[in-house]
Amino acid sequence: MDVDDATRTQLRLLGEIRDALAAAGVRWWLFGGWAMDFHAGEVTRDHSDIEAFVRKDDAEAVRRALTAAGFAAPPPLHPDEALPHLKDGQEAGFFYLVEDEAGRTITPGRWADWPWAAGAFDGPPLRLGDLELHAMSLDGLLDMKLNFPKHTHGAPLREKDVADIERLRALAARH
């Protein structure tokens, strides 16, 4: 697939993020479109941003590592949920993971009542070109897409969400 400039820049930034967070000892997981592309092993569409999860306890280490790598860390819109970073006109959002009282993995804030699928962050690294990264599991991604419209803070499925659900089901059937 011929990708746009933003997607090419994001591919480069994914490598920079990988290197910076590895040096800081921080584990992270892609989700959204990039996670789907890593599961597919190819870029399937242009991307508007990078979305990833980190443990909330690692938030300060993420901020330090990425600012040292030239990323800006603007004030977050929802500071209890995520930490945005910007570089070269691209956004990389790092959403937090914590455990609730029941031991389930959740994202705090508006999403605290929505536990992530069991095993969503347990898979091996995935490869896309020369990048090897961790991503949310196919089951976790599918759960997210199917249940997002049902959540209080969710939104109706868009055309691309319907296509993503079909693609996720096809990828799951291959594995």
Side-chain angles (χ1 to χ4, degrees):
M1 170 181 182
D2 187 32
V3 299
D4 67 8
D5 289 339
T7 298
R8 274 192 294 282
T9 299
Q10 288 172 31
L11 277 166
R12 177 179 48 80
L13 294 176
L14 283 167
E16 292 180 25
I17 292 166
R18 175 202 58 204
D19 295 346
L21 295 186
V26 173
R27 187 138 184 232
W28 58 294
W29 301 263
L30 289 169
F31 73 96
W34 278 115
M36 290 188 3
D37 281 3
F38 270 80
H39 279 286
E42 64 181 335
V43 177
T44 62
R45 66 175 184 228
D46 292 327
H47 295 275
S48 60
D49 61 3
I50 296 168
E51 299 168 305
F53 286 112
V54 295
R55 297 278 174 201
K56 189 172 185 182
D57 291 347
D58 289 331
E60 184 56 27
V62 170
R63 189 194 61 73
R64 279 194 314 268
L66 293 183
T67 55
F71 287 78
L77 182 60
H78 299 284
D80 54 339
E81 296 173 13
L83 183 63
H85 285 80
L86 304 169
K87 186 173 182 180
D88 298 336
Q90 301 302 311
E91 182 175 354
F94 293 85
F95 293 78
Y96 301 141
L97 297 175
V98 299
E99 285 190 7
D100 66 10
E101 297 97 22
R104 300 173 305 180
T105 301
I106 62 164
T107 296
R110 297 171 296 160
W111 312 101
D113 62 339
W114 184 4
W116 295 112
F121 305 100
D122 295 340
L126 304 169
R127 181 167 289 282
L128 184 116
D130 63 348
L131 287 172
E132 188 174 271
L133 302 174
H134 283 91
M136 187 179 212
S137 71
L138 288 172
D139 288 342
L141 292 167
L142 188 56
D143 179 70
M144 178 189 286
K145 285 287 184 181
L146 290 171
N147 288 305
F148 183 73
K150 301 173 191 172
H151 194 276
T152 304
H153 299 289
L157 290 176
R158 302 163 293 183
E159 269 186 55
K160 81 174 199 170
D161 298 318
V162 173
D164 286 349
I165 289 167
E166 289 176 23
R167 186 175 302 120
L168 286 166
R169 286 181 171 148
L171 287 168
R174 286 188 353 204
H175 292 273

